[in-house]
Amino acid sequence: MRLFEFLITTILWVLLSITVQAQTGKVLGRITAPSGEIIQGASVQISKLNKFSIADSNGLYQLNFLPAGNWNVMVTAQSFSDFHFSINISNDSIQKDIVLLPNHSLQEVVVSGTLKPMVRAESPVPVEVYSAAFFKTNPAPTIFDALQTINGVRPQINCNVCNTGDIRINGLDGPYTMVLIDGMPIVSGLSTVYGLNGIPQSLLERVEIVKGPASTLYGSEAVGGLINIITKKPVNAPLLSVDLFSTTWKETNADIGLKLKVSDKIQSLAGINYFNYQNPVDNNKDNFTDLTLQHRISVFNKWNFERKHNRLFALAARYVYEDRWGGEMNWTKYDRGGTAVYGESIYTKRWELFGTYQLPFKEHLLWMFSVNRHQQNSVYGDMPFIADQQILFSQLTWNKTAGKHDLLTGLALRYTYYDDNTVATAQITNTRQNHPSKTLLPGIFIQDEISLNQQNKLLVGVRYDYNSLHGNIFTPRINYKWNSKDKKNILRVSVGNGYRVANVFTEDHAALTGARQVVFINDLHPETSWNTNVNFVRKLYTGSAVINLDATLFYTYFHNKIIADYDTDPNKIIYDNLDGFAVSKGASLNADITFNNLRIMLGATAMDVYSKENNLRIRQLFTEKFSGVWTISYSFRSIGLTADYTGNIYGPMRLPLLSNTDPRREYSPWWSVQNIHLTKKIKDKLEVYAGIKNILNWTINKGVPFIIARSHDPFDRQVQFDASGNAMVTADNPYGLTFDPTYAYGPNQGIRGFFGIRYTYH
């Protein structure tokens, strides 16, 4: 027995000795810049061993318990070039101090806040930046769908039949959000609703978001904020990129990007997006499609020309064709526009041309231009809507630095032609002739960015526009920025004015459905607003993590706000300027946490959006008081696998009801859409990915008897009306309703799986 105990003890001591010897190696040191400045938060990792360390406030790092052998170490830090070195571990400590070289190309450069490139941390205007890699954590066929995990930004579905929508920022309706491509105001008017689809994501470099009015630089529509979609430069793009995926609902999406080198000085980048869904589904059994059927193709081409003195010259063009329909399950194209079977069918043709040209002068003069045409042929039941919109935009800016002043001034001109078959462009005469709307909007703006010292910066600006229909419009703004000496703390305060000229028939889908009569009480006047934002950014470093916090308080006051009144008469949508005021106020917080192989991005927004008229306070329709988003990613580096868990959650929203006896909820419940995504990297060129969307299987029909009112009688043939035009309660209509598809606030597409392949060749 003693011999047995001796042998066991000896074996355990030998194993422990071997284990200790195999894990006693370590490497440690300090990370600095060439100037000797300490670099805090740098990442040091040995990917094969899954070992990771973050440099602390003194620039110190340490990797412990390293097995014997030769290992490759990689060091990364924001604004510095990557550094690689090899170490040989035996059973000793290795002292390795590291000097990282600056790489200014790695700093986040933004353009949306001030209309000129600058490092994000130096911008007096808070700009949120989301890279192409962020959107790959939850693959989506359109930019519209991809924005659903960004804090304070919500894609809103406006119709349960044709699924058109817009993008809301901080609770403000879609028309208050300006969408740009490479700084050009391409998406506006009609395309606020329909033009967000078909932007090839294979060409996406990043998305910049500015929350709050930007009318001083961008004019009308940039009241609630702007979304700037930045495409890749041909010089930085891969020669070929392909992204294909399909879902269990039989949706198919293809993104293809191709770089062409025409000559030593001319490079071209082409992209194609194709989306097809032709599988009618009716899971809620109301005889209407749960998801609109779509067939879309978009072609994008961008050209860069190298010129003397590195002057800019870029051209780009895009063409989009889309055929979408939703309606009763037995609808066919032969029923289009008829009264036998209800369907909503939309044909969209859209082309765009835009460019940037730096004039050949010593001074920095930049000319930007765009022209686009949007043609739409649509029917909503038996109601046709035929529209043609053409927009010409031109802008010349001059940038001059003088001492502490960085001046930017510009001349802008926008011409808008709009024609449709509604009362919006009808001239009331005996012959009822058509009268297209033609709006000329010249403007001039100037801003001065003043560097008071290394910690304080002031931005002041003013814009004057002359609207050919509404006259003079002034929009000033002022921004102040303070940062601590180590730039770990940044405070921004902004006050600005915004304005918007509304066109109901290009912005509000409900006005087109034919389900309600559109009524204008008076001529609509431009809306104006004043906005105040306070933004604070804090960077924290711990021994193993980097934490970025971004908090914002916002307040917007509206005068002359145009609100669609669904409440006064359930059979009408009444439009008028508010005889009172409206307010959007709230707070948001973003947290970005990175440590080891894990990254967590969290966001939450609490807000109150309401209008007040005749001492009556009314909460805005389709606006939640709380929303939250998250993206959690973990990388298994040793096997090349990444797992992403994304989602959002929304609080109750007030919804439009048709009568006092309408059995549907006046307020939506709390709801959430959550997704899981796995990506496996196969060598350097190929990735495969798969996942599940909407794992909770949430749809808006849960908890309500129906979402489309009287879906069995979409032409109101069996509805009886009283002398005032109100629907009467009858045996066949016990709730006194009419057909209405506008009870929409979230997705009606349930759980689904997806699988995709990405191929990139440099």
Side-chain angles (χ1 to χ4, degrees):
M1 180 66 69
R2 290 182 179 179
L3 178 61
F4 177 76
E5 291 177 354
F6 174 77
L7 290 174
I8 293 297
T9 303
T10 302
I11 292 171
L12 289 175
W13 273 107
V14 170
L15 291 175
L16 181 61
S17 175
I18 293 173
T19 302
V20 170
Q21 287 182 4
Q23 296 183 346
T24 54
K26 63 181 177 181
V27 58
L28 70 163
R30 185 186 301 273
I31 304 175
T32 60
S35 62
E37 178 187 359
I38 290 172
I39 300 177
Q40 181 179 349
S43 165
V44 184
Q45 60 181 311
I46 302 176
S47 58
K48 284 191 175 182
L49 299 177
N50 203 22
K51 294 291 185 178
F52 186 94
S53 176
I54 296 289
D56 62 17
S57 58
N58 296 314
L60 298 175
Y61 76 94
Q62 183 168 312
L63 293 170
N64 297 316
F65 305 116
L66 303 179
N70 293 311
W71 307 109
N72 293 321
V73 184
M74 183 176 71
V75 185
T76 60
Q78 185 177 6
S79 304
F80 291 87
S81 296
D82 292 351
F83 182 78
H84 300 263
F85 66 94
S86 297
I87 55 172
N88 183 276
I89 297 295
S90 55
N91 61 349
D92 205 352
S93 297
I94 297 177
Q95 178 76 27
K96 178 65 176 178
D97 293 331
I98 299 167
V99 177
L100 296 183
L101 299 178
N103 186 343
H104 298 291
S105 65
L106 295 178
Q107 299 189 62
E108 272 188 331
V109 176
V110 296
V111 296
S112 301
T114 58
L115 263 183
K116 57 188 178 183
M118 67 187 312
V119 176
R120 180 187 176 194
E122 299 298 327
S123 173
V125 179
V127 181
E128 296 181 15
V129 181
Y130 298 89
S131 67
F134 170 82
F135 295 108
K136 289 180 180 178
T137 60
N138 182 30
T142 67
I143 294 291
F144 177 84
D145 296 313
L147 296 173
Q148 61 184 279
T149 52
I150 294 180
N151 187 27
V153 178
R154 183 168 67 85
Q156 165 71 33
I157 299 295
N158 292 327
C159 175
N160 284 315
V161 180
C162 67
N163 294 162
T164 56
D166 52 38
I167 297 176
R168 301 186 172 206
I169 294 181
N170 289 342
L172 298 179
D173 294 340
Y176 295 90
T177 301
M178 174 172 278
V179 181
L180 309 100
I181 301 179
D182 290 334
M184 291 288 95
I186 297 297
V187 181
S188 58
L190 269 176
S191 51
T192 298
V193 179
Y194 301 99
L196 292 171
N197 300 327
I199 298 175
Q201 294 197 57
S202 60
L203 306 183
L204 182 66
E205 177 72 26
R206 66 185 187 276
V207 173
E208 298 181 4
I209 297 178
V210 177
K211 297 174 181 176
S215 294
T216 303
L217 288 182
Y218 295 95
S220 179
E221 292 144 19
V223 177
L226 65 90
I227 299 173
N228 193 0
I229 300 166
I230 310 294
T231 60
K232 294 177 180 177
K233 295 180 179 179
V235 67
N236 298 328
L239 289 175
L240 175 66
S241 61
V242 179
D243 191 341
L244 310 173
F245 78 84
S246 184
T247 74
T248 54
W249 276 50
K250 299 181 181 180
E251 300 163 284
T252 301
N253 186 79
D255 262 313
I256 301 174
L258 179 65
K259 180 170 72 172
L260 301 173
K261 187 174 181 180
V262 180
S263 69
D264 291 338
K265 295 186 177 182
I266 302 176
Q267 291 183 321
S268 175
L269 182 62
I272 298 176
N273 170 256
Y274 177 78
F275 179 79
N276 193 10
Y277 171 67
Q278 302 296 324
N279 179 40
V281 174
D282 180 23
N283 287 334
N284 60 9
K285 307 302 180 184
D286 61 0
N287 196 39
F288 272 72
T289 53
D290 291 350
L291 181 67
T292 301
L293 280 69
Q294 299 176 51
H295 187 208
R296 178 179 64 250
I297 186 167
S298 173
V299 181
F300 181 91
N301 195 196
K302 185 175 184 178
W303 295 77
N304 268 28
F305 303 86
E306 292 186 16
R307 301 169 58 211
K308 292 181 179 179
H309 309 296
N310 292 322
R311 293 192 178 102
L312 295 175
F313 182 27
L315 282 174
R318 184 172 73 118
Y319 175 79
V320 181
Y321 173 80
E322 183 182 71
D323 174 6
R324 67 161 60 200
W325 76 268
E328 294 186 90
M329 292 291 288
N330 58 331
W331 186 91
T332 67
K333 291 189 182 296
Y334 296 103
D335 299 304
R336 194 175 194 268
T339 58
V341 183
Y342 187 91
E344 296 185 0
S345 171
I346 303 167
Y347 300 144
T348 300
K349 294 180 181 178
R350 178 178 178 82
W351 61 263
E352 304 157 353
L353 175 67
F354 53 98
T356 302
Y357 181 78
Q358 186 175 348
L359 299 182
F361 299 111
K362 183 179 180 180
E363 297 293 330
H364 192 275
L365 291 165
L366 203 63
W367 178 48
M368 306 175 73
F369 67 90
S370 69
V371 57
N372 66 75
R373 185 176 188 182
H374 186 110
Q375 294 173 291
Q376 185 171 312
N377 182 325
S378 51
V379 293
Y380 302 87
D382 59 348
M383 177 182 174
F385 177 69
I386 314 298
D388 183 8
Q389 177 180 272
Q390 301 170 44
I391 299 177
L392 174 66
F393 175 81
S394 179
Q395 181 170 275
L396 179 67
T397 60
W398 173 56
N399 186 204
K400 180 72 172 179
T401 301
K404 295 183 177 181
H405 298 268
D406 192 349
L407 294 169
L408 177 74
T409 185
L411 299 172
L413 176 66
R414 186 189 300 190
Y415 171 78
T416 303
Y417 171 93
Y418 176 74
D419 190 17
D420 66 24
N421 63 323
T422 72
V423 295
T425 59
Q427 188 175 23
I428 307 301
T429 64
N430 293 333
T431 58
R432 195 177 177 84
Q433 296 176 345
N434 200 44
H435 187 65
S437 171
K438 301 176 183 179
T439 307
L440 194 63
L441 187 66
I444 183 172
F445 60 89
I446 184 171
Q447 73 173 19
D448 185 9
E449 184 180 323
I450 309 168
S451 297
L452 303 175
N453 51 48
Q454 292 185 352
Q455 293 181 253
N456 294 273
K457 185 177 289 187
L458 187 67
L459 177 72
V460 293
V462 65
R463 182 186 183 104
Y464 165 74
D465 289 292
Y466 179 79
N467 187 293
S468 59
L469 300 179
H470 300 285
N472 303 316
I473 302 172
F474 291 92
T475 48
R477 76 164 173 176
I478 183 169
N479 297 75
Y480 167 74
K481 171 184 166 289
W482 169 88
N483 59 263
S484 58
K485 290 183 179 180
D486 57 9
K487 296 187 178 180
K488 295 178 184 177
N489 302 289
I490 301 175
L491 174 67
R492 297 180 175 96
V493 180
S494 63
V495 178
N497 178 242
Y499 80 97
R500 186 177 76 93
V501 178
N503 187 332
V504 167
F505 285 96
T506 68
E507 298 172 355
D508 192 347
H509 173 268
L512 306 175
T513 63
R516 300 190 187 212
Q517 180 186 356
V518 177
V519 177
F520 296 93
I521 301 296
N522 298 294
D523 291 336
L524 298 181
H525 300 290
E527 300 179 346
T528 59
S529 68
W530 282 97
N531 172 275
T532 299
N533 275 30
V534 179
N535 173 254
F536 180 72
V537 176
R538 167 71 168 161
K539 292 187 177 182
L540 302 172
Y541 300 93
T542 68
S544 60
V546 179
I547 303 173
N548 292 317
L549 300 176
D550 189 326
T552 301
L553 299 174
F554 59 90
Y555 181 92
T556 305
Y557 180 95
F558 288 92
H559 176 67
N560 268 356
K561 196 172 193 301
I562 300 169
I563 297 179
D565 180 2
Y566 291 81
D567 301 320
T568 301
D569 189 328
N571 298 309
K572 298 177 181 179
I573 307 177
I574 302 173
Y575 293 95
D576 195 11
N577 288 109
L578 187 68
D579 185 17
F581 63 90
V583 169
S584 170
K585 61 182 179 180
S588 68
L589 175 65
N590 288 319
D592 188 345
I593 307 167
T594 303
F595 57 91
N596 208 332
N597 298 335
L598 180 66
R599 184 175 186 183
I600 302 173
M601 301 177 69
L602 305 173
T605 298
M607 59 187 175
D608 187 14
V609 184
Y610 64 91
S611 60
K612 195 166 185 180
E613 187 174 29
N614 299 324
N615 293 322
L616 181 63
R617 191 180 191 273
I618 302 175
R619 181 175 167 183
Q620 181 172 294
L621 287 168
F622 302 111
T623 304
E624 69 282 3
K625 286 196 171 185
F626 175 85
S627 65
V629 296
W630 63 86
T631 297
I632 302 174
S633 301
Y634 188 86
S635 296
F636 302 88
R637 291 189 174 94
S638 59
I639 59 174
L641 181 68
T642 301
D644 304 299
Y645 171 45
T646 61
N648 51 45
I649 185 170
Y650 297 103
M653 310 173 192
R654 191 171 75 90
L655 305 173
L657 300 181
L658 296 180
S659 69
N660 293 329
T661 55
D662 194 329
R664 296 174 294 181
R665 295 171 171 170
E666 183 181 3
Y667 289 89
S668 67
W670 286 83
W671 59 280
S672 174
V673 174
Q674 301 176 28
N675 318 286
I676 293 177
H677 170 236
L678 298 174
T679 303
K680 170 64 177 175
K681 191 169 186 178
I682 304 175
K683 295 185 177 180
D684 294 330
K685 300 176 182 178
L686 185 64
E687 288 181 346
V688 295
Y689 59 92
I692 302 174
K693 287 182 176 289
N694 197 357
I695 58 178
L696 301 180
N697 198 27
W698 165 258
T699 56
I700 59 176
N701 67 299
K702 296 188 182 293
V704 292
F706 51 83
I707 55 174
I708 300 178
R710 293 192 63 81
S711 59
H712 65 284
D713 184 24
F715 295 100
D716 290 337
R717 292 191 179 96
Q718 300 172 26
V719 178
Q720 299 181 31
F721 298 92
D722 61 20
S724 301
N726 297 317
M728 299 173 58
V729 175
T730 62
D732 184 66
N733 191 7
Y735 304 118
L737 307 179
T738 56
F739 173 73
D740 183 45
T742 59
Y743 191 90
Y745 59 89
N748 199 33
Q749 185 182 18
I751 188 172
R752 59 205 181 275
F754 64 91
F755 175 81
I757 298 175
R758 294 191 189 99
Y759 177 82
T760 305
Y761 180 74
H762 291 274

